[in-house]
Amino acid sequence: MSATAERVPYTQASVSRDDAIAAYESILSDVGPNYAAPIRRFEDRFASFIGVDFGLATSSCTGALHLALAALGIGPGDEVILADTNWVATVAPVVHVGARPVFVDIDPISWCIDPVRVEEAITPRTRAVIATHIYGNVAAVDSLACLTRDRGLALIEDAAEAIGSRLRGQHVGSFGDVAVFSFHGTKTISTGEGGMVVSSDARLMDRMRILADHGRDPSEERQFWPSEIGFKYKMAPVLAAVGLSQLARVEELIAGRQRVLEHYRSAFGEQSGIRLNHAPSDVEHGAWMPTLEFLEETGITRDDAMRHLSDAGVGARVVFWPLSSTPPFTGMLHAPTPNSYRFSRSAVNLPSSSNMDEDALACVVEAVRSLMIR
Ligand SMILES: *Cc1c(COP(=O)(O)O)cnc(C)c1O
């Protein structure tokens, strides 16, 4: 912790009076036989917002990913390819189903998994590729979709950080076979904890529904009859009610974050030696987490930036450590991932929230500028 009080928190949830009223009303009315009503509504509306056929609301995005992997039949002896730069939530379910994670390098510009490295890592045991849209940046889903289709692999999108990110107008999460989203307290839509798995594959969805409800088949007539051992990953009705309330103003929540990223872009855009989230012309960026990378020529490292910003009261955060550098996965790399390591040493997350005010923005801009001219 820094000695200076944090003047600009790295994020703040945007909870409206309507969200709170929705929660209050749901607690009173969505009980007994009505408990599923807001959940089904949230699933249907979220799926249509993403542009897929089905959604299944879960207690977390991590649980959603666990369901997806289990429903795809991935297990011991199988390999799942993902980027070394990822939050641990993306890999933990791979380990939970008994499969082996295979970490590959990121693209240095998009910070997302590099499809060339994916192709090199495919073996006869590979079953799936997880593409994470890191910090709202859009992963190379076109080439990954071609590659996985050709090789008979599943493409799973981890879109936890990418609500509002669209490629050619099409929302991420609709390019792969299945995708997962998070409504954790830090994310663009926030129910405190919560997630959603979406897909247009009806059979996969049916399978996930059974697995999410203790292995109970909805067509089974007997009560309390598990046909297999599943999980308990269902969302609480009150959280679905909050999610629905936020989904009704999702474009406003996204626009708030885009305003923050664009503010940083116009403030730092002229500076050489730094890079903000990549957004090519065919991408609309959801702007969940503005991230600033210092190129080698600046001589500024993540640690310099963290110290300086923290002294200025700015709540910056380190970007994800390469998973292969963390205790559960040391020694697990089959090929070096220099871009993941360089990114980790040279980039930080800047504060962002939908309702961030001008003073807070000015404070961050000033702190970064003074770091650059030290
Ligand atoms: C937040 C996040 C998750 C996990 O979401 P939870 O809802 O906390 O389980 C997974 N993947 C990525 C990339 C995330 O940012």
Coordinates of all heavy atoms in Angstrom, one line a residue, residues 224-289:
F224 N -36.2 -35.0 -7.5 CA -34.9 -35.2 -6.8 C -34.2 -36.4 -7.4 O -33.7 -37.3 -6.7 CB -35.2 -35.5 -5.3 CG -35.8 -34.3 -4.6 CD1 -37.0 -34.5 -3.9 CD2 -35.3 -33.1 -4.6 CE1 -37.7 -33.4 -3.3 CE2 -35.9 -32.0 -4.0 CZ -37.1 -32.2 -3.4
W225 N -34.1 -36.5 -8.7 CA -33.5 -37.6 -9.4 C -32.3 -37.2 -10.2 O -32.5 -36.7 -11.3 CB -34.6 -38.3 -10.3 CG -34.1 -39.6 -10.8 CD1 -33.5 -39.8 -12.1 CD2 -34.1 -40.9 -10.2 NE1 -33.1 -41.1 -12.2 CE2 -33.5 -41.8 -11.1 CE3 -34.5 -41.4 -9.0 CZ2 -33.3 -43.2 -10.8 CZ3 -34.4 -42.7 -8.7 CH2 -33.8 -43.6 -9.6
P226 N -31.1 -37.4 -9.7 CA -30.0 -37.0 -10.5 C -29.7 -38.2 -11.4 O -29.6 -39.3 -11.0 CB -28.8 -36.9 -9.4 CG -29.3 -37.8 -8.3 CD -30.8 -37.9 -8.3
S227 N -29.5 -37.9 -12.7 CA -29.1 -38.9 -13.6 C -27.6 -39.1 -13.7 O -27.1 -40.0 -14.3 CB -29.7 -38.7 -15.0 OG -29.5 -37.3 -15.4
E228 N -26.9 -38.1 -13.2 CA -25.4 -38.2 -13.1 C -25.0 -37.1 -12.1 O -25.8 -36.3 -11.6 CB -24.8 -37.8 -14.5 CG -25.1 -36.4 -14.9 CD -24.7 -36.1 -16.3 OE1 -23.5 -36.2 -16.6 OE2 -25.5 -35.8 -17.2
I229 N -23.7 -37.1 -11.8 CA -23.2 -36.0 -10.9 C -22.9 -34.8 -11.7 O -22.1 -34.9 -12.6 CB -22.0 -36.5 -10.1 CG1 -22.4 -37.6 -9.0 CG2 -21.3 -35.4 -9.4 CD1 -23.3 -37.0 -7.9
G230 N -23.5 -33.7 -11.3 CA -23.2 -32.4 -12.0 C -22.6 -31.4 -11.0 O -21.9 -31.8 -10.1
F231 N -22.9 -30.2 -11.3 CA -22.4 -29.1 -10.4 C -23.6 -28.3 -9.9 O -24.7 -28.5 -10.4 CB -21.5 -28.2 -11.2 CG -20.4 -28.9 -12.0 CD1 -20.5 -29.2 -13.3 CD2 -19.3 -29.3 -11.3 CE1 -19.5 -29.9 -14.0 CE2 -18.3 -30.0 -12.0 CZ -18.4 -30.3 -13.3
K232 N -23.3 -27.3 -9.1 CA -24.4 -26.4 -8.6 C -23.9 -25.0 -9.0 O -23.2 -24.3 -8.2 CB -24.7 -26.5 -7.2 CG -25.8 -25.6 -6.7 CD -27.1 -25.9 -7.3 CE -28.2 -24.9 -7.1 NZ -28.5 -24.7 -5.7
Y233 N -24.2 -24.5 -10.2 CA -23.6 -23.3 -10.7 C -24.7 -22.3 -11.1 O -24.5 -21.5 -12.0 CB -22.7 -23.5 -11.9 CG -21.3 -24.0 -11.5 CD1 -20.6 -24.9 -12.3 CD2 -20.7 -23.5 -10.3 CE1 -19.3 -25.3 -12.0 CE2 -19.4 -24.0 -10.0 CZ -18.7 -24.8 -10.9 OH -17.5 -25.2 -10.6
K234 N -25.9 -22.4 -10.4 CA -27.0 -21.5 -10.9 C -26.9 -20.1 -10.3 O -26.3 -19.9 -9.2 CB -28.3 -22.2 -10.5 CG -28.5 -23.5 -11.2 CD -29.9 -24.0 -11.2 CE -30.4 -24.4 -9.9 NZ -31.8 -25.0 -10.0
M235 N -27.5 -19.2 -11.0 CA -27.5 -17.8 -10.5 C -28.7 -17.6 -9.6 O -29.7 -18.2 -9.8 CB -27.6 -16.8 -11.7 CG -27.7 -15.4 -11.3 SD -27.7 -14.2 -12.7 CE -25.9 -13.9 -12.9
A236 N -28.5 -16.7 -8.6 CA -29.6 -16.4 -7.7 C -30.5 -15.4 -8.4 O -30.1 -14.6 -9.1 CB -29.1 -15.7 -6.4
P237 N -31.9 -15.6 -8.2 CA -32.9 -14.7 -8.8 C -32.6 -13.2 -8.6 O -32.7 -12.4 -9.5 CB -34.2 -15.1 -8.2 CG -34.0 -16.5 -7.7 CD -32.5 -16.6 -7.3
V238 N -32.2 -12.9 -7.4 CA -32.0 -11.4 -7.1 C -30.9 -10.9 -8.0 O -30.9 -9.7 -8.4 CB -31.8 -11.2 -5.6 CG1 -30.5 -11.9 -5.1 CG2 -31.6 -9.7 -5.3
L239 N -29.9 -11.7 -8.2 CA -28.8 -11.2 -9.1 C -29.2 -11.1 -10.5 O -28.8 -10.2 -11.2 CB -27.5 -12.1 -8.9 CG -27.0 -12.2 -7.5 CD1 -25.7 -13.0 -7.5 CD2 -26.7 -10.8 -6.9
A240 N -30.0 -12.0 -11.0 CA -30.6 -11.9 -12.3 C -31.4 -10.6 -12.5 O -31.3 -10.0 -13.5 CB -31.4 -13.2 -12.6
A241 N -32.1 -10.3 -11.4 CA -32.9 -9.0 -11.5 C -32.0 -7.8 -11.6 O -32.3 -6.9 -12.3 CB -33.8 -8.9 -10.2
V242 N -30.9 -7.8 -10.8 CA -30.0 -6.7 -11.0 C -29.3 -6.7 -12.3 O -29.2 -5.7 -13.0 CB -28.9 -6.8 -9.9 CG1 -27.8 -5.8 -10.1 CG2 -29.5 -6.7 -8.5
G243 N -29.0 -7.9 -12.8 CA -28.4 -8.0 -14.2 C -29.3 -7.5 -15.2 O -28.9 -6.8 -16.2
L244 N -30.6 -7.8 -15.1 CA -31.6 -7.3 -16.1 C -31.7 -5.8 -16.1 O -31.7 -5.2 -17.1 CB -33.0 -7.9 -15.7 CG -33.4 -9.2 -16.4 CD1 -34.6 -9.8 -15.7 CD2 -33.6 -9.0 -17.9
S245 N -31.6 -5.3 -14.9 CA -31.7 -3.8 -14.7 C -30.5 -3.2 -15.4 O -30.6 -2.1 -16.0 CB -31.8 -3.5 -13.2 OG -31.8 -2.1 -13.0
Q246 N -29.3 -3.8 -15.2 CA -28.1 -3.2 -15.8 C -28.1 -3.4 -17.3 O -27.6 -2.5 -18.0 CB -26.9 -3.8 -15.2 CG -26.8 -3.5 -13.7 CD -25.4 -3.3 -13.2 OE1 -24.4 -3.7 -13.8 NE2 -25.3 -2.7 -12.0
L247 N -28.6 -4.6 -17.7 CA -28.6 -4.8 -19.2 C -29.5 -3.8 -19.9 O -29.2 -3.4 -21.0 CB -29.1 -6.3 -19.4 CG -29.1 -6.8 -20.8 CD1 -27.7 -6.7 -21.4 CD2 -29.6 -8.2 -20.9
A248 N -30.5 -3.3 -19.2 CA -31.4 -2.3 -19.8 C -30.7 -1.0 -20.1 O -31.1 -0.3 -21.0 CB -32.6 -2.1 -18.9
R249 N -29.6 -0.8 -19.4 CA -28.8 0.4 -19.7 C -27.3 0.1 -20.0 O -26.4 0.9 -19.8 CB -28.8 1.4 -18.5 CG -28.3 0.9 -17.2 CD -28.6 1.8 -16.0 NE -28.2 1.2 -14.8 CZ -27.0 1.4 -14.2 NH1 -26.1 2.2 -14.8 NH2 -26.7 0.8 -13.1
V250 N -27.2 -1.1 -20.7 CA -25.8 -1.6 -20.9 C -25.1 -0.6 -21.9 O -23.9 -0.4 -21.8 CB -25.8 -3.0 -21.4 CG1 -26.5 -3.2 -22.8 CG2 -24.4 -3.6 -21.5
E251 N -25.8 -0.1 -22.9 CA -25.1 0.8 -23.8 C -24.5 2.0 -23.2 O -23.5 2.6 -23.5 CB -26.0 1.2 -25.0 CG -26.4 0.0 -25.9 CD -25.3 -0.8 -26.6 OE1 -24.1 -0.3 -26.6 OE2 -25.5 -1.9 -27.1
E252 N -25.2 2.5 -22.1 CA -24.8 3.7 -21.3 C -23.6 3.3 -20.5 O -22.6 4.0 -20.4 CB -26.0 4.1 -20.5 CG -25.7 5.1 -19.4 CD -26.8 5.1 -18.3 OE1 -28.0 5.0 -18.7 OE2 -26.5 5.2 -17.1
L253 N -23.6 2.1 -19.9 CA -22.4 1.6 -19.1 C -21.2 1.4 -20.0 O -20.1 1.8 -19.6 CB -22.8 0.2 -18.5 CG -23.8 0.3 -17.4 CD1 -24.2 -1.2 -17.0 CD2 -23.3 1.0 -16.2
I254 N -21.4 0.9 -21.2 CA -20.3 0.8 -22.2 C -19.8 2.1 -22.6 O -18.6 2.4 -22.6 CB -20.7 -0.1 -23.4 CG1 -21.1 -1.5 -23.0 CG2 -19.7 -0.1 -24.5 CD1 -21.9 -2.2 -24.1
A255 N -20.7 3.0 -23.0 CA -20.3 4.4 -23.4 C -19.5 5.1 -22.4 O -18.5 5.8 -22.7 CB -21.5 5.2 -23.8
G256 N -19.8 4.9 -21.1 CA -19.1 5.5 -20.0 C -17.6 5.1 -20.0 O -16.7 5.8 -19.8
R257 N -17.4 3.8 -20.2 CA -16.1 3.2 -20.2 C -15.3 3.6 -21.5 O -14.1 3.9 -21.5 CB -16.1 1.7 -20.1 CG -16.6 1.3 -18.7 CD -16.3 -0.2 -18.4 NE -16.7 -0.5 -17.1 CZ -15.9 -0.7 -16.1 NH1 -14.6 -0.6 -16.2 NH2 -16.3 -1.0 -14.9
Q258 N -16.1 3.7 -22.6 CA -15.4 4.1 -23.9 C -15.0 5.6 -23.8 O -13.9 6.0 -24.3 CB -16.4 4.0 -25.1 CG -16.7 2.5 -25.4 CD -17.7 2.3 -26.4 OE1 -18.7 3.1 -26.6 NE2 -17.7 1.2 -27.2
R259 N -15.7 6.4 -23.1 CA -15.4 7.8 -22.9 C -14.1 7.9 -22.1 O -13.2 8.7 -22.5 CB -16.5 8.5 -22.1 CG -16.3 9.9 -21.7 CD -17.5 10.4 -20.8 NE -17.7 9.5 -19.6 CZ -17.1 9.8 -18.4 NH1 -16.3 10.8 -18.2 NH2 -17.3 8.9 -17.4
V260 N -13.9 7.0 -21.1 CA -12.6 7.0 -20.3 C -11.4 6.6 -21.2 O -10.4 7.3 -21.2 CB -12.7 6.1 -19.1 CG1 -11.4 5.9 -18.4 CG2 -13.8 6.6 -18.2
L261 N -11.6 5.5 -22.0 CA -10.5 5.1 -22.8 C -10.2 6.2 -23.9 O -9.0 6.4 -24.1 CB -10.8 3.8 -23.5 CG -9.8 3.2 -24.5 CD1 -8.5 2.9 -23.8 CD2 -10.3 1.8 -25.1
E262 N -11.2 6.8 -24.5 CA -11.0 7.8 -25.5 C -10.3 9.0 -24.9 O -9.5 9.7 -25.5 CB -12.3 8.2 -26.2 CG -12.7 7.1 -27.2 CD -11.6 6.5 -28.0 OE1 -10.8 7.2 -28.6 OE2 -11.5 5.2 -28.0
H263 N -10.6 9.3 -23.6 CA -10.0 10.5 -23.0 C -8.5 10.2 -22.8 O -7.6 11.0 -23.2 CB -10.6 10.7 -21.6 CG -10.1 11.9 -20.9 ND1 -10.8 13.1 -21.0 CD2 -9.0 12.2 -20.2 CE1 -10.1 14.0 -20.3 NE2 -9.0 13.5 -19.8
Y264 N -8.1 9.0 -22.4 CA -6.7 8.6 -22.3 C -6.0 8.6 -23.7 O -4.9 9.1 -23.8 CB -6.5 7.2 -21.7 CG -6.9 7.1 -20.2 CD1 -7.5 5.9 -19.7 CD2 -6.8 8.2 -19.3 CE1 -7.9 5.8 -18.4 CE2 -7.1 8.1 -18.0 CZ -7.7 6.9 -17.5 OH -8.1 6.7 -16.2
R265 N -6.8 8.1 -24.7 CA -6.2 8.1 -26.0 C -5.9 9.5 -26.5 O -4.8 9.7 -27.1 CB -7.2 7.5 -27.0 CG -6.8 6.1 -27.4 CD -7.7 5.7 -28.6 NE -8.3 4.4 -28.4 CZ -7.6 3.3 -28.2 NH1 -6.3 3.3 -28.3 NH2 -8.2 2.1 -28.0
S266 N -6.8 10.4 -26.3 CA -6.5 11.8 -26.8 C -5.4 12.5 -26.0 O -4.7 13.3 -26.5 CB -7.8 12.6 -26.9 OG -8.4 12.7 -25.7
A267 N -5.3 12.1 -24.7 CA -4.3 12.7 -23.9 C -2.9 12.2 -24.2 O -1.9 12.9 -24.1 CB -4.7 12.5 -22.4
F268 N -2.8 10.9 -24.4 CA -1.5 10.3 -24.6 C -1.2 9.9 -26.1 O -0.1 9.5 -26.4 CB -1.3 9.0 -23.8 CG -1.8 9.1 -22.4 CD1 -2.5 8.0 -21.8 CD2 -1.5 10.2 -21.6 CE1 -2.9 8.1 -20.5 CE2 -1.9 10.3 -20.3 CZ -2.6 9.2 -19.8
G269 N -2.2 10.1 -27.0 CA -2.1 9.6 -28.3 C -0.8 10.2 -29.0 O -0.2 9.5 -29.9
E270 N -0.4 11.4 -28.7 CA 0.7 12.0 -29.4 C 2.1 11.5 -28.9 O 3.1 11.6 -29.6 CB 0.7 13.5 -29.2 CG -0.6 14.2 -29.7 CD -0.9 14.0 -31.1 OE1 -0.1 14.4 -31.9 OE2 -1.9 13.3 -31.5
Q271 N 2.1 10.9 -27.7 CA 3.3 10.5 -27.1 C 3.8 9.3 -27.8 O 3.1 8.3 -28.1 CB 3.1 10.1 -25.6 CG 2.4 11.1 -24.8 CD 3.4 11.8 -23.9 OE1 4.6 11.7 -24.1 NE2 2.9 12.6 -22.9
S272 N 5.1 9.2 -28.1 CA 5.7 8.0 -28.7 C 6.1 7.1 -27.5 O 6.4 7.6 -26.4 CB 6.8 8.3 -29.6 OG 7.8 8.9 -28.9
G273 N 6.2 5.8 -27.8 CA 6.8 4.9 -26.8 C 5.7 4.3 -25.9 O 6.0 3.6 -25.0
I274 N 4.5 4.7 -26.1 CA 3.4 4.0 -25.3 C 2.3 3.5 -26.2 O 2.1 3.9 -27.4 CB 2.8 5.0 -24.3 CG1 2.3 6.3 -25.0 CG2 3.8 5.3 -23.2 CD1 1.5 7.2 -24.0
R275 N 1.6 2.6 -25.7 CA 0.5 1.9 -26.5 C -0.7 1.7 -25.6 O -0.5 1.2 -24.5 CB 1.1 0.6 -27.0 CG 0.2 -0.1 -28.0 CD 0.8 -1.4 -28.4 NE 1.9 -1.3 -29.3 CZ 2.9 -2.2 -29.3 NH1 3.0 -3.1 -28.4 NH2 3.9 -2.1 -30.2
L276 N -1.8 2.1 -26.0 CA -3.1 1.8 -25.3 C -3.8 0.6 -26.0 O -3.4 0.3 -27.1 CB -4.0 3.0 -25.2 CG -3.7 4.1 -24.2 CD1 -4.3 5.4 -24.5 CD2 -4.2 3.6 -22.8
N277 N -4.9 0.1 -25.4 CA -5.6 -1.0 -26.0 C -5.8 -0.9 -27.5 O -6.2 0.2 -28.0 CB -7.0 -1.1 -25.4 CG -7.0 -1.1 -23.9 OD1 -6.4 -0.3 -23.3 ND2 -7.7 -2.1 -23.3
H278 N -5.5 -2.0 -28.2 CA -5.6 -2.0 -29.7 C -7.0 -2.0 -30.1 O -7.8 -2.9 -29.7 CB -4.8 -3.3 -30.2 CG -4.7 -3.4 -31.6 ND1 -4.2 -2.4 -32.4 CD2 -5.1 -4.3 -32.5 CE1 -4.2 -2.8 -33.7 NE2 -4.8 -3.9 -33.8
A279 N -7.3 -1.2 -31.1 CA -8.7 -1.1 -31.6 C -8.6 -0.8 -33.1 O -8.7 0.3 -33.5 CB -9.6 -0.1 -30.9
P280 N -8.4 -1.9 -34.0 CA -8.4 -1.6 -35.4 C -9.7 -1.1 -35.9 O -10.7 -1.1 -35.2 CB -8.1 -3.0 -36.0 CG -8.4 -4.0 -34.9 CD -8.3 -3.3 -33.6
S281 N -9.8 -0.7 -37.2 CA -10.9 0.1 -37.6 C -12.2 -0.7 -37.7 O -13.3 -0.2 -37.6 CB -10.7 0.7 -39.0 OG -10.3 -0.3 -39.9
D282 N -12.1 -2.1 -37.8 CA -13.3 -2.9 -37.8 C -13.8 -3.3 -36.4 O -14.7 -4.1 -36.3 CB -13.2 -4.1 -38.7 CG -12.0 -4.9 -38.3 OD1 -11.2 -4.6 -37.4 OD2 -11.8 -6.0 -39.0
V283 N -13.2 -2.8 -35.4 CA -13.5 -3.1 -34.0 C -14.2 -1.9 -33.3 O -13.7 -0.8 -33.3 CB -12.3 -3.6 -33.2 CG1 -12.5 -3.5 -31.7 CG2 -11.9 -5.0 -33.6
E284 N -15.3 -2.2 -32.6 CA -15.8 -1.3 -31.6 C -15.3 -1.8 -30.3 O -15.6 -3.0 -29.9 CB -17.3 -1.1 -31.6 CG -17.7 0.0 -30.7 CD -19.3 0.1 -30.5 OE1 -20.0 -0.4 -31.4 OE2 -19.7 0.6 -29.5
H285 N -14.5 -1.0 -29.5 CA -13.9 -1.5 -28.3 C -14.8 -1.3 -27.1 O -15.2 -0.2 -26.9 CB -12.5 -0.8 -28.1 CG -11.6 -1.6 -27.2 ND1 -11.8 -1.7 -25.9 CD2 -10.4 -2.2 -27.5 CE1 -10.8 -2.4 -25.4 NE2 -9.9 -2.7 -26.4
G286 N -15.0 -2.4 -26.3 CA -15.9 -2.2 -25.1 C -15.2 -1.5 -24.0 O -15.9 -1.0 -23.1
A287 N -13.9 -1.3 -24.1 CA -13.1 -0.4 -23.2 C -13.3 -0.8 -21.7 O -13.3 0.1 -20.8 CB -13.5 1.0 -23.4
W288 N -13.4 -2.1 -21.4 CA -13.5 -2.5 -20.0 C -12.3 -2.0 -19.2 O -12.6 -1.4 -18.1 CB -13.7 -4.0 -19.8 CG -13.7 -4.4 -18.4 CD1 -14.6 -4.0 -17.5 CD2 -12.7 -5.1 -17.7 NE1 -14.3 -4.5 -16.2 CE2 -13.1 -5.2 -16.3 CE3 -11.5 -5.7 -18.0 CZ2 -12.3 -5.8 -15.3 CZ3 -10.7 -6.4 -17.1 CH2 -11.2 -6.4 -15.7
M289 N -11.1 -2.2 -19.6 CA -10.0 -1.8 -18.8 C -8.9 -1.1 -19.6 O -8.1 -1.8 -20.3 CB -9.4 -3.1 -18.2 CG -8.3 -2.9 -17.2 SD -8.8 -1.9 -15.7 CE -9.7 -3.1 -14.8

